[in-house]
Amino acid sequence: MAPRRKCGIPGGTTKGGNVDHPVDLLFVVAFLNASLAGLALWRSDARVARLFALTNLLAATWSLSYRQELMAHGLDQKIFWVQFKYVFLLFLPPVHMAMVREFTGQLRWLRGRAWLLVFAFPIASLPVVLTMREHPWFRHSFQLESVAGLEVLTFKWGPWGYALILVGTAWSVASLVMLAAAWWSAAPIVRKQVGLMFWACLVPVGVDGLFLAGFSPLRGINFSQVSLLMTAAAWAWALFGHRSLNLVPLARGTVLDQMPSLVFVVDASGRLADINQTMLRKIGLGAAQVVDRLPAEVLAPPWRVLAELPGEFQGAIRLGEGAQASWYERTVTPLRDSSGSLLGTLITCHDVTHRVRAERARDDEKALLGLVINSVSEAVILLDERGTPLAVNDPALRLFGAADVATLATHVAADLLPPSPVADCGWRAIGPGDELDFERRLEPRPGCAFDARVFLHGVTRDGHRLIVATVQDISDRVRREQVEREAERLRNERREFQRQQRLIRDLHDGIGGITANIGMIATLGDQARVCVAKECLLNRITALAAEGSGELRLLMNAMECREMPWPSLLAELRRLGVMLLEDHGIAFSFSANGDPPACGPGVFPGMSLTRVFKEAVHNVAKHASASRVEVRVTFAGDQVELRVRDNGRGLPVPSQPGRGLGNMRRRIEEMSGEMHVRSSGEGTELVFTLPQRPELDAAEDDSRRMQHARMEARPPP
C-alpha cells in the first residue's frame, strides 16, 4: 500500500538546526542508557549484570533510531528508521524479562529450548517489519503531520502489530509478577530495593500504554524511552548502590531456604538481617519475629550459642542433652563491599550429628579392640606406625614363645614388615584401610623357625595409625607342598624317561629295520650278476630309502611335538599300504567313512598307529599269501576304527601269537584302545578301535607345552 502525505503539510520544512528539545532529550537518554550498560559491566560479572547491560544497550539503540526517525525528511527515510528501530525494539521485552528472571530466581523451568519459544515471535516478526511497506499486516496508512516543528509519522496498526503489542505486554506483565513474588518472599534488608524495582518497571508499561491509547504531551511522540531510562537508573541504584547482588541474592528462596544447613546473616550492628527456613523451623519462630532483632532477644539459649561464639572457634558444637543432642559445625564468612567495609556476617551451621555419632561408635569399637584380639584363636599383634608391638593375644605369645608384650622380641616386628616396595618405606606406608597378605619364614628366636602367613590391616585410633597383624603357622602346609612338588618332579622324570624309551623303540623298529634291509639288499646286489636283478635290488633300496625318509619325518615331528592331522595321517597310511603291497603283486584298497576331526590323534599316538599299520601290512605281505588287502577307517562319535582285511590263508590253528601281534596289541592298549583278530580259511581281519584323541600319558602334553613355549620365546627372523 503506497504511503500518503496528509494535505497541507509541507515536506522538508523542518531542518536539523531547528530541532527542539524533544529530539535532544532522546540523544541524552541514549547516552545515559549506554553509560548504565558500561557501569554494569564494570561493576559486576554476574549474569544479571550482563543482561542489565544488554537491556540498556537495546534501549539506547531504540532512542537513537527514534531520534533519527523524527529528524528524517520524507516518508521513505522515516519508514527506513522505523524498520531499523524495530530490529532492536522487538527483543527488548524478552531480554528485560530474562534479566528479571535471573535476578529474582523465578520461572526456573524456563531454560534451554523454552527460551527459543520466547524469542520465536520476535524473530518471526523481523521479515514482517522489514517488508511493512508491501503489506498492511504491521502498519499501514502512513501520513506525515507537523508537531512542534517536526514531521511526525502517523499510521494505523495492522493485525501483526496488535499481536506484537500483546506479546510485549505479556512479557512486561510476567516481569512485574516475578518482581511482586520476589518482594513477597524477600528479607527486610532488600525488600525496599525490590519494591523500588517493581514500581520502576511499572512506569514505562504505563507510559507506553498511555501513548498507545493516544495520550501524550506532544501528539504522536512517544516518551517511553525517558521512562525506561528512569527504570534503568532505579535498577542500577538497587543493584549496585545497595549491593543487592553481593549481600543477599533474591534467589534465596531456591538456595538458602532449601539448604539443610542452618543459615542466618548478622549485619554490622549485630542484628539478624536474614534467616533461612531450616533455621526458622528449628527455633519455631517466623521471619518477622527475628529479623532486625538481636540474637539474645529472640533465640533460646541452645541456639544463641551459634551466633555468639567467636568466629575463630573450631570443632563441633553440641546442642541439647541425651538422646536429643545434636552437633553442628559452624562456618563464619564476613561480607564486605568493594572498599573492604564490613557489611555483615554469614553464619552457616552444618548438622554433623550423624558423623559425630558414627565417630563415637568407632571409638567405642576401638575400645573393645583388646577384647576382640584376645577372643580370636589366631595370633594377633597390634603395632604402632613405627612397628613397635602395643598389644598381643595369648596365641601370639605361645607362637613366638614370649611371656608378654614387653618380652616380645623387637625383631619380630621387623620380620612382619611386608616385602619391597613397602618395606623400603617402613610401616608408615600402611595407611588406614590398607590390607596386605604375604608369606614368610619367621625365626623369632634361635632354634625356633616356622613358615607363616601374615595379614596386615591398617586402622586409626585417636588420630594415630595402627597396624593389626594376624599370623598363621603354615609349616604343615608348606611341608605338604614341598612333598607334592618333589612327587611331581619324580613323575616328570618318569614321563621323560618313558618318552625317551618310546623314541628309542621307534628308532629301532623303524629306522633300524630299514637300515638293516638296505644293508642286506646292497650285499645281494653286489653278488648279483644279472643287470635286471641289480636294477630290482636298486629299486628296492630306493623304496626303503623313501620309507626311511617317512620314518625320519615322523620322528622329527615327534621331537618337535608337531602332530599330523587325521587327513594327512590317512594319506600316509594309504601311501605305506601301496608301497608295501604293490611290489608283492597284492591289490590294495583304502577307504575312510565319517568326518575326521580337524586335529590329529597326537604325536606319539600317531607314530604308534603308523607302526601298528605297517606291522599288519608287513605280516600280510610276508605270511598271508593274499592277493587283495582292504583297509577301512571309520570315524563314529569320539572313536576311530581301523580294519585291515586280507583274503589269504589265515592264521594257523592252533596259533601262538608272535612278537608282531604282541607288539601291535601292546601299542594299541597303550593308547586306551582294543585289538581284535578274526581269522578263517578265507583270510584274516585285524580290528583296532581307539579314541580319536588317545593319550599315551601326560609326558606328551608336557613336551608339547615346552615346545610351544620355546617357539614363542624364539625371536622373529
Side-chain angles (χ1 to χ4, degrees):
M1 179 180 296
R4 296 183 294 108
R5 179 185 299 272
K6 190 172 183 179
C7 297
I9 302 299
T13 59
T14 303
K15 305 295 183 183
N18 299 330
V19 174
D20 206 352
H21 61 277
V23 176
D24 296 331
L25 182 61
L26 289 174
F27 181 82
V28 174
V29 168
F31 174 77
L32 293 177
N33 278 124
S35 300
L36 290 174
L39 175 66
L41 296 176
W42 175 64
R43 290 292 301 271
S44 175
D45 59 352
R47 183 180 176 88
V48 64
R50 295 195 296 268
L51 291 172
F52 177 78
L54 180 59
T55 302
N56 279 276
L57 289 177
L58 291 174
T61 308
W62 178 22
S63 299
L64 286 177
S65 58
Y66 189 49
R67 178 183 181 277
Q68 293 302 114
E69 175 191 346
L70 294 176
M71 292 286 295
H73 299 288
L75 286 174
D76 292 339
Q77 293 187 19
K78 288 186 178 294
I79 292 177
F80 168 78
W81 285 108
V82 169
Q83 292 172 331
F84 182 83
K85 173 181 66 177
Y86 269 97
V87 170
F88 301 94
L89 185 59
L90 289 172
F91 297 95
L92 183 58
V95 171
H96 181 268
M97 186 186 70
M99 177 189 66
V100 175
R101 171 191 172 276
E102 186 68 26
F103 178 71
T104 60
Q106 307 289 329
L107 300 181
R108 284 298 175 185
W109 53 268
L110 190 60
R111 64 179 65 188
R113 296 182 179 178
W115 279 113
L116 297 178
L117 298 177
V118 173
F119 284 90
F121 189 75
I123 295 174
S125 300
L126 284 174
V128 179
V129 171
L130 296 177
T131 60
M132 65 181 181
R133 298 187 66 176
E134 310 299 330
H135 53 77
W137 296 351
F138 183 60
R139 288 182 176 182
H140 61 90
S141 302
F142 298 103
Q143 297 179 358
L144 291 177
E145 293 185 2
S146 178
V147 177
L150 296 173
E151 288 183 339
V152 179
L153 181 66
T154 61
F155 55 87
K156 293 183 179 179
W157 290 103
W160 197 280
Y162 284 115
L164 189 62
I165 293 172
L166 291 176
V167 172
T169 304
W171 299 149
S172 300
V173 171
S175 300
L176 292 172
V177 171
M178 286 188 286
L179 285 171
W183 177 86
W184 181 263
S185 61
I189 193 172
V190 293
R191 183 165 290 180
K192 294 180 181 179
Q193 292 91 304
V194 178
L196 176 63
M197 294 176 181
F198 174 82
W199 291 109
C201 289
L202 185 61
V203 170
V205 176
V207 172
D208 195 53
L210 291 175
F211 171 75
L212 293 175
F215 298 98
S216 178
L218 294 177
R219 184 174 180 273
I221 297 179
N222 191 355
F223 288 91
S224 299
Q225 298 90 342
V226 179
S227 62
L228 191 60
L229 174 63
M230 297 169 57
T231 301
W235 270 72
W237 177 77
L239 290 176
F240 307 111
H242 283 265
R243 297 172 292 274
S244 296
L245 292 178
N246 301 330
L247 183 58
V248 182
L250 289 184
R252 62 182 301 283
T254 57
V255 180
L256 296 181
D257 286 343
Q258 295 182 9
M259 291 178 60
S261 302
L262 310 181
V263 182
F264 55 94
V265 179
V266 179
D267 60 18
S269 62
R271 296 180 177 272
L272 292 171
D274 196 11
I275 189 169
N276 71 340
Q277 292 295 323
T278 306
M279 182 70 175
L280 291 176
R281 287 193 295 269
K282 289 288 185 181
I283 64 178
L285 298 175
Q289 298 175 279
V290 297
V291 173
D292 205 25
R293 304 281 298 277
L294 293 173
E297 297 176 353
V298 294
L299 297 181
W303 303 104
R304 192 183 307 163
V305 176
L306 299 177
E308 294 178 348
L309 279 175
E312 61 273 9
F313 178 83
Q314 300 292 331
I317 303 171
R318 178 174 178 172
L319 302 179
E321 299 292 338
Q324 302 300 323
S326 56
W327 285 264
Y328 292 87
E329 282 188 351
R330 196 181 65 151
T331 302
V332 178
T333 305
L335 303 176
R336 303 181 184 275
D337 59 11
S338 58
S339 62
S341 301
L342 183 65
L343 299 177
T345 304
L346 174 66
I347 301 176
T348 306
C349 301
H350 305 281
D351 190 347
V352 294
T353 302
H354 294 295
R355 193 194 71 190
V356 171
R357 289 177 177 172
E359 290 176 352
R360 293 195 172 190
R362 285 196 296 270
D363 292 340
D364 294 339
E365 292 176 358
K366 292 175 183 178
L368 298 175
L369 183 60
L371 297 177
V372 174
I373 288 178
N374 287 319
S375 65
V376 297
S377 59
E378 297 175 340
V380 179
I381 303 175
L382 183 64
L383 307 158
D384 62 11
E385 60 184 6
R386 296 182 299 274
T388 304
L390 301 177
V392 62
N393 65 348
D394 294 337
L397 294 176
R398 290 192 297 269
L399 181 63
F400 290 97
D404 51 26
V405 178
T407 58
L408 192 65
T410 56
H411 70 273
V412 170
D415 291 340
L416 297 181
L417 190 64
S420 298
V422 179
D424 299 335
C425 303
W427 290 101
R428 289 182 173 83
I430 305 175
D434 293 342
E435 294 184 354
L436 295 176
D437 178 7
F438 60 94
E439 294 181 2
R440 174 175 293 170
R441 186 165 182 82
L442 301 179
E443 189 174 1
R445 62 183 184 277
C448 178
F450 59 92
D451 295 291
R453 184 176 184 182
V454 182
F455 300 88
L456 299 180
H457 179 69
V459 297
T460 58
R461 182 178 183 183
D462 297 332
H464 300 287
R465 290 189 299 178
L466 304 175
I467 298 98
V468 179
T470 304
V471 184
Q472 295 179 352
D473 187 352
I474 58 172
S475 300
D476 294 339
R477 193 201 73 187
V478 171
R479 283 192 292 270
R480 287 196 303 271
E481 292 177 352
Q482 291 175 348
V483 171
E484 292 175 358
R485 285 194 296 269
E486 181 64 20
E488 182 65 22
R489 186 185 65 81
L490 294 176
R491 285 194 295 270
N492 291 336
E493 291 181 355
R494 181 178 60 82
R495 291 168 183 166
E496 185 64 23
F497 176 76
Q498 291 175 351
R499 180 172 176 269
Q500 293 175 358
Q501 291 297 110
R502 190 177 295 111
L503 288 175
I504 292 172
R505 185 184 63 191
D506 289 334
L507 283 171
H508 178 270
D509 294 346
I511 299 298
I514 294 173
T515 305
N517 288 336
I518 291 176
M520 181 180 65
I521 295 174
T523 301
L524 294 175
D526 184 53
Q527 297 174 356
R529 302 300 180 186
V530 182
C531 293
V532 176
K534 287 187 175 183
E535 184 178 355
C536 292
L537 292 174
L538 289 175
N539 291 337
R540 181 59 182 161
I541 291 175
T542 302
L544 288 173
E547 183 180 354
S549 176
E551 290 289 338
L552 285 176
R553 184 167 59 253
L554 288 175
L555 290 173
M556 290 174 63
N557 287 337
M559 295 297 295
E560 296 180 358
C561 293
R562 293 190 305 180
E563 62 175 328
M564 184 181 296
W566 274 110
S568 300
L569 182 59
L570 296 179
E572 180 69 15
L573 297 181
R574 181 184 290 108
R575 186 190 66 82
L576 288 174
V578 171
M579 181 185 68
L580 296 174
L581 295 177
E582 286 188 350
D583 289 346
H584 296 81
I586 301 175
F588 175 72
S589 65
F590 188 95
S591 63
N593 300 323
D595 296 326
C599 60
V603 177
F604 292 111
M607 291 181 59
S608 295
L609 186 60
T610 304
R611 296 278 185 270
V612 169
F613 179 78
K614 286 180 62 177
E615 184 69 23
V617 174
H618 265 300
N619 289 341
V620 173
K622 292 169 61 178
H623 307 295
S625 300
S627 62
R628 185 178 70 255
V629 174
E630 297 178 358
V631 177
R632 184 169 70 249
V633 181
T634 303
F635 294 91
D638 58 351
Q639 298 288 319
V640 60
E641 182 183 78
L642 173 63
R643 290 178 178 266
V644 180
R645 181 181 179 83
D646 64 78
N647 61 349
R649 61 191 177 189
L651 297 176
V653 180
S655 63
Q656 295 294 330
R659 293 187 59 188
L661 290 176
N663 288 338
M664 287 190 288
R665 186 179 300 277
R666 175 172 50 81
R667 287 181 180 272
I668 291 297
E669 290 177 350
E670 285 179 353
M671 294 185 289
S672 303
E674 297 178 356
M675 171 181 168
H676 300 282
V677 181
R678 300 185 182 93
S679 180
S680 64
E682 298 179 355
T684 304
E685 182 181 37
L686 301 180
V687 181
F688 309 100
T689 305
L690 65 156
Q692 291 185 10
R693 185 72 178 178
E695 294 293 341
L696 294 177
D697 52 41
E700 180 180 341
D701 291 338
D702 295 341
S703 60
R704 184 184 296 112
R705 285 194 295 268
M706 294 172 60
Q707 179 66 19
H708 288 173
R710 289 196 296 269
M711 294 294 292
E712 292 177 357
R714 184 181 302 169

